[in-house]
Amino acid sequence: MKLHLSDEDVAFREEMHDFFTTQIPQHIRDTVAARRELTKEQIVESVQAMNAAGIAVPNWPVEWGGKDWTPLQRHIWHEEMQLASVPVPLAFNHSMVGPVIAAFGSQELKERFLAKTANLDIWWSQGFSEPDAGSDLASLRTTAVRDGDDYLVNGQKTWTTLGQYGDWIFTLVRTDPDVKKQAGISFLLIDMTSPGVEVRPIELIDGGHEVNEVWFDNVRVPAENLVGEENKGWDYAKFLLGNERVGVAPVGSTKRTLSLAKEHAKTAGPGGTSLLDDPLLAAQVADLENELLALELTALRVVANSADGKPHPASSVLKLRGTELQQAVTELIVDLAGPASLASGAGEDSDVPEWARVATPNYLNFRKASIYGGSNEVQRQIIAGTILGLRG
Ligand SMILES: Cc1cc2nc3c(=O)[nH]c(=O)nc-3n(C[C@H](O)[C@H](O)[C@H](O)COP(=O)(O)OP(=O)(O)OC[C@H]3O[C@@H](n4cnc5c(N)ncnc54)[C@H](O)[C@@H]3O)c2cc1C
């Protein structure tokens, strides 16, 4: 789809396209395009290239490295990055803890953390979820008890994505057990090298180890690491989760993956023939392209309506459809690979092409997309209540 952009926005799109296709190292873009797992170093290198150009944290206050861009420009920045196979900045730093510290942290916390967070000199993990506290996050049980100048933290977090790389973890902890559950929670920053912090890997269905459990056993955390006021953490978490749902529909990367799928389809038939001649497959691809186009238009409508900087409730629609389409495309690629998709364990010297070897692990990995960032069932509840007015 070609949008009718203003001359200024057309120039902006070109500027972003040029930057992402020339200034981010090719080996990183190749890794993303091949849907291989990125290393920590690759993610850091990519963010640091963006930060050096001043475009790593455009959503932050200008004073801390943000850009005074319009919501449409931010959308274009995000989309061009995905179309160019550039990894999006680490959400934990970029759209979660950074904006929270900038909005609610003390001046001391801002000076201590924001520049390093923007440059990924500190790799943050998100320590919110616990067993029995995912969708019902306010039920969390990890405690932080004041002891002199410190808090003593005990408990367990789970599903901590890329926690194995984490330098620091931002957590929600219970500081008052005697009030309504939302009212007794605080937002605490914890150095993951502190004695008593243990990160235990969880093996996922695709064989990868991108999520972890994080255990806290009498971890001593200086009270100055509290963000904002004690027992106000739920407000900061709601602010953070609102940001998390902005830019959640990865239209750019799904479009790119679908166009690669079409390329693969051209030779995936018997004897290297094109599967695009199969009317059923052609219809399936056309259907996905149309759905993506509709999602892209919806994303632009949401962008246009969130000019006050607040997340629009329709971002739940983007999360829901965005993840459904992301999953549908990964499924299509497994279908295209056919029996070759079983060769996921084969090495580089295998006759099976790489795209077919990564098809099944990718398909399995993306089952997560409808769970994290607020499960799709919960998004449906939000859509029913907030947008359709169907509160029961
Ligand atoms: C791969 C992955 C990475 C993650 N990374 C992180 C991370 O880095 N840090 C972090 O803090 N958390 C992380 N999470 C946790 C994630 O936010 C939670 O898994 C998610 O909020 C769902 O919570 P739950 O797993 O406890 O499921 P539950 O809330 O127990 O839900 C179980 C089922 O019930 C449904 N359900 C629950 N409540 C409702 C409702 N009100 N209406 C309708 N249906 C409902 C759910 O949709 C789901 O199908 C990650 C999760 C995954 C899968």
Side-chain angles (χ1 to χ4, degrees):
M1 181 185 67
K2 279 272 170 273
L3 263 177
H4 195 72
L5 296 175
S6 68
D7 291 348
E8 197 186 326
D9 287 331
V10 169
F12 180 80
R13 190 186 274 285
E14 277 163 17
E15 188 192 328
M16 290 299 119
H17 172 81
D18 287 349
F19 178 84
F20 290 127
T21 51
T22 59
Q23 301 304 308
I24 303 293
Q26 190 65 40
H27 70 99
I28 297 175
R29 298 175 51 226
D30 288 346
T31 305
V32 173
R35 305 199 301 155
R36 284 193 296 265
E37 200 176 320
L38 289 155
T39 63
K40 175 180 182 177
E41 289 69 29
Q42 286 177 314
I43 297 172
V44 171
E45 196 179 343
S46 170
V47 165
Q48 292 188 343
M50 282 191 230
N51 201 36
I55 59 166
V57 288
N59 51 321
W60 290 17
V62 171
E63 180 189 1
W64 298 106
K67 290 274 184 195
D68 222 354
W69 286 347
T70 62
L72 180 59
Q73 285 174 318
R74 251 152 71 182
H75 178 82
I76 293 171
W77 166 82
H78 199 238
E79 180 154 284
E80 285 304 322
M81 180 186 317
Q82 293 175 54
L83 290 171
S85 301
V86 170
V88 294
L90 189 70
F92 309 121
N93 287 43
H94 167 271
S95 46
M96 297 188 186
V97 75
V100 167
I101 295 177
F104 306 107
S106 63
Q107 186 64 18
E108 192 260 328
L109 285 184
K110 291 178 191 174
E111 283 168 15
R112 203 165 134 211
F113 287 114
L114 286 178
K116 288 182 178 166
T117 298
N119 202 42
L120 212 41
D121 296 330
I122 296 176
W123 184 292
W124 286 95
S125 297
Q126 181 188 21
F128 279 14
S129 304
E130 299 181 9
D132 302 323
S135 303
D136 181 19
L137 188 55
S139 296
L140 61 93
R141 285 179 304 209
T142 295
T143 54
V145 176
R146 190 69 190 247
D147 181 44
D149 290 340
D150 299 329
Y151 286 100
L152 268 188
V153 178
N154 281 287
Q156 181 203 347
K157 297 291 174 181
T158 193
W159 303 124
T160 315
T161 300
L162 302 178
Q164 66 270 38
Y165 301 151
D167 301 307
W168 282 73
I169 182 165
F170 55 92
T171 59
L172 291 178
V173 289
R174 186 154 304 284
T175 33
D176 187 345
D178 299 323
V179 290
K180 188 176 153 240
K181 56 187 183 179
Q182 284 84 355
I185 292 172
S186 297
F187 196 108
L188 194 61
L189 311 177
I190 304 180
D191 181 343
M192 292 180 78
T193 61
S194 311
V197 177
E198 193 191 338
V199 179
R200 299 184 193 165
I202 300 174
E203 183 171 347
L204 288 184
I205 192 171
D206 65 348
H209 286 102
E210 70 183 18
V211 292
N212 303 269
E213 295 175 338
V214 180
W215 294 75
F216 302 95
D217 179 14
N218 277 323
V219 178
R220 211 160 256 288
V221 181
E224 69 215 26
N225 291 1
L226 180 77
V227 175
E229 289 176 48
E230 195 175 87
N231 297 325
K232 288 278 166 59
W234 189 248
D235 293 343
Y236 314 145
K238 279 196 295 188
F239 170 88
L240 178 151
L241 294 171
N243 290 335
E244 192 183 22
R245 265 170 228 139
V246 175
V248 281
V251 180
S253 67
T254 308
K255 266 164 92 174
R256 184 172 43 72
T257 313
L258 182 57
S259 82
L260 277 174
K262 275 171 83 173
E263 284 305 307
H264 302 321
K266 284 182 187 160
T267 54
T273 54
S274 174
L275 283 178
L276 291 174
D277 297 334
D278 176 320
L280 285 179
L281 188 98
Q284 197 184 345
V285 170
D287 198 30
L288 282 171
E289 283 179 334
N290 285 332
E291 293 284 348
L292 267 173
L293 189 60
L295 181 65
E296 187 172 14
L297 281 170
T298 309
L300 285 163
R301 278 165 53 202
V302 172
V303 166
N305 284 314
S306 62
D308 59 356
K310 292 212 179 72
H312 191 279
S315 57
S316 288
V317 176
L318 302 183
K319 158 78 190 4
L320 181 62
R321 282 309 280 150
T323 53
E324 284 174 348
L325 291 176
Q326 205 174 14
Q327 292 180 336
V329 173
T330 59
E331 188 172 348
L332 172 71
I333 297 177
V334 173
D335 287 346
L336 290 173
S341 68
L342 293 175
S344 56
E348 292 293 313
D349 51 355
S350 159
D351 290 341
V352 179
E354 185 178 15
W355 71 267
R357 280 187 276 128
V358 299
T360 299
N362 259 286
Y363 164 81
L364 292 172
N365 186 280
F366 274 96
R367 301 304 93 193
K368 69 187 177 187
S370 47
I371 303 172
Y372 64 42
S375 76
N376 282 9
E377 288 81 4
V378 170
Q379 303 309 322
R380 286 189 184 92
Q381 296 279 19
I382 297 172
I383 293 166
T386 321
I387 303 177
L388 303 176
L390 296 174
R391 232 174 259 288

